[in-house]
Amino acid sequence: MSDVQQQRAGAIGLDSRRPVRMVCLDVDGTMLGASGTVRDAVWHAVEMARRAGIQLTMCSGRPGFGVTRELAHRVNATGWHCFQNGASIVRLHDGQSQSAVLDDDIIRRLVARARETNRLLELYTDTHYVTESETRVARVHAEVLGLPYAPQRYEALPPPIVRAQWIVPHHELNALVAEPHDGLEVSPATGPALPEHVFVNLTRRGVDKGYALRVIAAE
């Protein structure tokens, strides 16, 4: 490492004398672009990191099933991964979970609000999700996730539920965020597949990607 590189590393808190032990990979806008495919150069870099003994883990707002699970399995089939903005922490090969579950009262309030406003809400466990919405956006999002589109009542999803998600047009975001979301972290994000909409992730208070990565690093 050159003197300039060492100075830059020090400026962001990196110590060039210590080897990198773990690298976290995002999905949308990082591994995947608007094309929905991963470039060969990315897989080449993944293989180089593995050969160097670096632990690789997915760190995504997406759920850990469908297309994202396939990516995570190829990145690290036996390791821990962070999905759903940190709410879902799963080890793929044996299904072990250290996920952060949402309280039942919170779920009931969100479902009531979705039905009152006719807003698109999705509820997630580590392995499944549900929405009652029959809109085009709900259908497209299922396709993006690589899952069948099958609207059901929210009560059909077996617990434990780890995350909820609103999907709204950009012009509705400020009003939505201003609504009470007691006990929740509210994290808006965008994705290349639905650029005209915002994904508003709802996880348990204090739960985000940083929380999940601390759990994974401890493992």
Side-chain angles (χ1 to χ4, degrees):
M1 195 179 259
S2 69
D3 290 343
V4 173
Q5 288 173 320
Q6 288 178 348
Q7 290 173 0
R8 289 175 178 169
I12 60 174
L14 297 177
D15 186 343
S16 61
R17 296 166 296 181
R18 299 177 61 186
V20 174
R21 298 177 60 188
M22 183 171 77
V23 170
C24 308
L25 305 175
D26 189 21
V27 177
D28 291 301
T30 304
M31 292 190 74
L32 292 179
S35 67
T37 59
V38 182
R39 296 172 58 191
D40 289 342
V42 174
W43 293 125
H44 177 65
V46 165
E47 182 58 31
M48 289 178 63
R50 277 200 294 252
R51 290 178 181 175
I54 296 172
Q55 178 80 10
L56 297 176
T57 182
M58 301 298 294
C59 181
S60 176
R62 287 186 175 217
F65 42 90
V67 172
T68 313
R69 184 179 181 87
E70 296 172 7
L71 293 175
H73 189 272
R74 184 167 176 180
V75 165
N76 186 347
T78 61
W80 289 91
H81 296 278
C82 157
F83 304 111
Q84 311 208 52
N85 229 42
S88 185
I89 307 170
V90 180
R91 192 164 65 183
L92 293 183
H93 74 282
D94 59 6
Q96 283 201 42
S97 171
Q98 297 195 45
S99 300
V101 178
L102 293 178
D103 293 340
D104 291 342
D105 286 346
I106 288 175
I107 299 300
R108 282 192 288 268
R109 291 200 302 268
L110 291 172
V111 168
R113 186 62 177 157
R115 289 170 175 165
E116 174 188 346
T117 61
N118 202 30
R119 189 185 287 150
L120 200 170
L121 176 70
E122 298 173 339
L123 300 179
Y124 291 83
T125 67
D126 282 336
T127 57
H128 295 86
Y129 93 111
V130 69
T131 184
E132 291 181 354
S133 176
E134 297 182 0
T135 62
R136 179 194 67 85
V137 174
R139 183 184 298 275
V140 170
H141 191 225
E143 294 172 355
V144 169
L145 296 175
L147 299 170
Y149 173 62
Q152 299 180 71
R153 288 183 62 81
Y154 293 112
E155 290 81 4
L157 184 66
I161 295 171
V162 301
R163 181 176 67 106
Q165 177 170 260
W166 299 113
I167 303 180
V168 297
H170 286 271
H171 69 269
E172 294 184 15
L173 177 62
N174 289 340
L176 170 62
V177 172
E179 295 177 2
H181 286 89
D182 297 338
L184 292 169
E185 295 289 338
V186 181
S187 304
T190 57
L194 285 167
E196 71 278 14
H197 284 75
V198 183
F199 301 87
V200 184
N201 288 282
L202 306 173
T203 58
R204 197 175 72 194
R205 179 68 54 80
V207 173
D208 56 16
K209 290 181 178 179
Y211 162 85
L213 292 180
R214 287 190 292 272
V215 172
I216 292 172
E219 290 292 337

